[in-house]
Amino acid sequence: MSVTAAVGFRAAGATAGLKASGSPDVALVVNDGPEHAVAAVFTTNRVEAAPVTWSRQVVADGRADAVFLNSGGANACTGPRGFGDTHRTAEVVADTLGVSATDVVVCSTGLIGEYLPMDRIEAGIALTAADLGLEGGADAARAIMTTDTVPKEAVATGDGWTVGGMAKGAGMLAPGLATMLCVITTDAVASPDVLAEALRSATSRTFDRVDSDGCMSTNDTVVLMSSGASGVSVDVGALTDAVTEVCASLARQLVADAEGASHDIAVEVRSAATESEAVEVARAVTRSNLFKAAIFGRDPNWGRVLSAVGTTSAQFDASRLDVAINGIEVCRAATIGDDRDLVDLSGREVRVVVDLHAGDATATVWTNDLTHDYVHENSAYST
Amino acid sequence: MSVTAAVGFRAAGATAGLKASGSPDVALVVNDGPEHAVAAVFTTNRVEAAPVTWSRQVVADGRADAVFLNSGGANACTGPRGFGDTHRTAEVVADTLGVSATDVVVCSTGLIGEYLPMDRIEAGIALTAADLGLEGGADAARAIMTTDTVPKEAVATGDGWTVGGMAKGAGMLAPGLATMLCVITTDAVASPDVLAEALRSATSRTFDRVDSDGCMSTNDTVVLMSSGASGVSVDVGALTDAVTEVCASLARQLVADAEGASHDIAVEVRSAATESEAVEVARAVTRSNLFKAAIFGRDPNWGRVLSAVGTTSAQFDASRLDVAINGIEVCRAATIGDDRDLVDLSGREVRVVVDLHAGDATATVWTNDLTHDYVHENSAYST
């Protein structure tokens, strides 16, 4: 259901011929109202794609009527011509739907540094617009996949209202914003300001804490739209909880389907002085190629955890650090703890707990292992 | 020749049985004087190995008589017992040579989180002490190898004086200090302060600009000793030049022999506002797994270069960035430049030039590609 779970939204996915594989590659999500509030967060990468530049302007006034998305091409590093192509995309969508181009968000994903085939994009707009439906969420979620192997959808419900979302992203997942593209819809009545506050809060503790490969995309976009069609007004706390639930589910689905991964790794840092220091330490561990390769090899190599922790500026006494891997405290007080042979890494889920003994704050960052398949997927094809 | 190229030094390498492979695993370098000046730089990792903690104290007074090194075990995260083992190592070396234990530098490399077999270490001290020779540099360089496939040695000569060095390091190579272990000797007459200034200057532009895999070791140590045996006093500028020449050669040898690498990649950033910003941008590119996997796949994927550049805070206009790969300007003004099919990545050497158009500063950081063999070496074995 994803983006069509909430009342007031229609969606569609179609095949425009952007992908050599012939898989679906364009999606359209339309907000039928009565309200058309929007908020969005974008990549913090200073090299941003044309659709990001465009969509920042679209959402600035808090109103959007539709989101058009394409896989098969990022339209990043394409200069003025690329920006013109995004503008043209919005114009054609607007003409087709009878709305203003400045209320059409555009998202693209795929290879950087190539122009989009605009004839196919325009054909894709016509196809999706003709196929818009109240059950179209699943088709839309499938059409935005690139190296994803499964679509990502999530739904959360409030008292008389609903939040639903879809996301794609299988590589270039890193902080600042960890997914490439995500569209979330709700039929709750909420102003753009409330949407923005809920979205910032939700993404900061979900997508921002996924770090598959340390590489930040030029195209990351998360859009939240409300139709108000439920007629139920929500307070920001309730909306934040529901949006966070959807984002958390989608973020976990991204990790579970990251390029070439064989393990999903949660790095939980406990007893940090502050939450931001907990995140800093967790992120240092999730960025260690040596640690990630060890997990791929089912090697509970806690020395690689400690050596990553030691590169941070977080408060801790280096002689008091504890590390547990899947429940076995292999490192106690920064030296040899329980028998590392007791650690079972045969399953996909791995939980690393680092205790800093420096305070009460905690945070978890998710990542994947570093595998042969990751290297293969990212060396054998230009993506 | 390496550490025995300069007059006044003897060295040896031997097999103590620390490595399962039966390869040489202990080395001893002795400064016979008449002077015994020393300076050193160590890892900035806050989780530091026992030999690092010990050796910081040894060099604090500017005097050292010997360096004992072992591969086959890092003696890191081994607590008070590990520190006691390092202390004991220095005591036995000192007794054997007739010097003070507080003038014996100790270096270890290998797996983190295991105790050293001290009986074998002590046997190794006896073996190396008995075999010390004026031609022993090559044996010492071979004995400190871990996953290195070749020993690393370099020599530079001044007017009547010499600088020679050896290094090891094939993984966990990252800034702060990029090699695991390096010993440099000179017969020039130079005070500890001059040695320290020359060493800091040399390492900041050589080892600190190698970033094989972004992982900083707990054991990194670079030691520079002078015997004064040439009788030639040098000024700091001349010594810095010679030490830099040796360090630069050793650093390049480390990159050329990094674990599992098939390409050596120089990322040169030009026209930066400051040298530190040039380093920041170059390092962001050398840390991108996606970029490094692309180079392994011989794919001149400049979008992955730009997306890494865009994550930095260096001064630049994102619409003016140029990228050349092996001489082909594939990206001009942040958009599509010359035909990427012209880029030849079949050789081992790759040069990426990023032009920021923001000033006059430049810097180069070296790294390797991300390969199947890197994943294999770091997942199949605990190192």
Side-chain angles (χ1 to χ4, degrees), chain A:
Chain A
M1 291 292 286
S2 73
V3 291
T4 48
V7 184
F9 293 91
R10 289 176 297 150
T15 302
L18 304 172
K19 289 177 179 168
S21 64
S23 298
D25 45 21
V26 289
L28 181 61
V29 181
V30 175
N31 181 355
D32 289 321
E35 299 185 358
H36 299 86
V38 70
V41 289
F42 299 96
T43 184
T44 57
N45 198 313
R46 292 167 62 195
V47 176
E48 67 177 29
V52 170
T53 307
W54 169 263
S55 297
R56 280 190 204 282
Q57 299 172 3
V58 168
V59 303
D61 66 356
R63 178 186 173 118
D65 290 323
V67 183
F68 181 79
L69 311 94
N70 75 274
S71 51
N75 196 10
C77 304
T78 46
R81 176 173 157 189
F83 188 79
D85 287 343
T86 293
H87 189 172
R88 171 78 188 150
T89 300
E91 293 276 9
V92 174
V93 171
D95 288 349
T96 306
L97 298 177
V99 301
S100 163
T102 59
D103 292 328
V104 177
V105 173
V106 179
C107 303
S108 300
T109 176
L111 181 63
I112 297 171
E114 299 211 332
Y115 298 117
L116 291 176
M118 286 305 294
D119 53 339
R120 296 185 182 190
I121 291 284
E122 294 190 27
I125 293 169
L127 285 171
T128 50
D131 198 38
L132 283 170
L134 298 174
E135 307 286 328
D139 286 345
R142 187 165 293 279
I144 61 175
M145 292 164 56
T146 51
T147 54
D148 308 70
T149 64
V150 291
K152 285 89 179 172
E153 303 175 272
V155 175
T157 51
D159 187 10
W161 52 279
T162 299
V163 175
M166 65 177 185
K168 66 78 48 192
M172 270 206 184
L173 295 183
L177 207 54
T179 187
M180 294 192 70
L181 303 181
C182 174
V183 179
I184 305 167
T185 56
T186 180
D187 46 24
V189 177
S191 69
D193 287 349
V194 167
L195 294 181
E197 184 176 340
L199 188 61
R200 274 197 307 270
S201 175
T203 57
S204 70
R205 296 194 176 191
T206 55
F207 294 120
D208 284 354
R209 293 192 184 170
V210 171
D211 193 342
S212 171
D213 61 5
C215 295
M216 186 195 294
S217 162
T218 51
N219 290 57
D220 300 324
T221 302
V222 181
V223 181
L224 170 60
M225 295 189 288
S226 69
S227 67
S230 71
V232 180
S233 291
V234 294
D235 65 26
V236 67
L239 184 64
T240 299
D241 288 347
V243 174
T244 300
E245 183 182 337
V246 167
C247 289
S249 172
L250 293 172
R252 281 290 290 115
Q253 293 177 57
L254 294 177
V255 168
D257 193 33
E259 281 175 353
S262 68
H263 289 85
D264 301 346
I265 309 170
V267 178
E268 177 183 346
V269 174
R270 293 182 183 166
S271 306
T274 67
E275 185 176 345
S276 67
E277 291 190 355
V279 172
E280 178 195 1
V281 171
R283 201 179 298 292
V285 176
T286 62
R287 289 264 174 106
S288 166
N289 280 349
L290 287 174
F291 163 69
K292 291 163 60 139
I295 295 299
F296 169 54
R298 301 184 181 185
D299 172 13
N301 196 321
W302 59 268
R304 295 179 180 176
V305 176
L306 274 203
S307 65
V309 173
T311 64
T312 70
S313 59
Q315 297 170 65
F316 59 77
D317 175 345
S319 70
R320 295 188 64 198
L321 302 168
D322 301 329
V323 178
I325 303 179
N326 279 357
I328 308 298
E329 196 173 73
V330 286
C331 170
R332 196 175 298 122
T335 184
I336 302 158
D338 296 334
D339 186 353
R340 45 182 277 148
D341 291 342
L342 297 175
V343 179
D344 179 4
L345 292 172
S346 60
R348 186 171 175 105
E349 301 288 321
V350 179
R351 176 162 291 269
V352 177
V353 178
V354 178
D355 197 316
L356 300 181
H357 296 288
D360 298 322
T362 184
T364 299
V365 175
W366 290 87
T367 190
N368 299 103
D369 51 352
L370 178 60
T371 69
H372 287 298
D373 286 347
Y374 177 90
V375 174
H376 179 71
E377 287 204 36
N378 289 297
S379 62
Y381 317 108
S382 214
T383 58

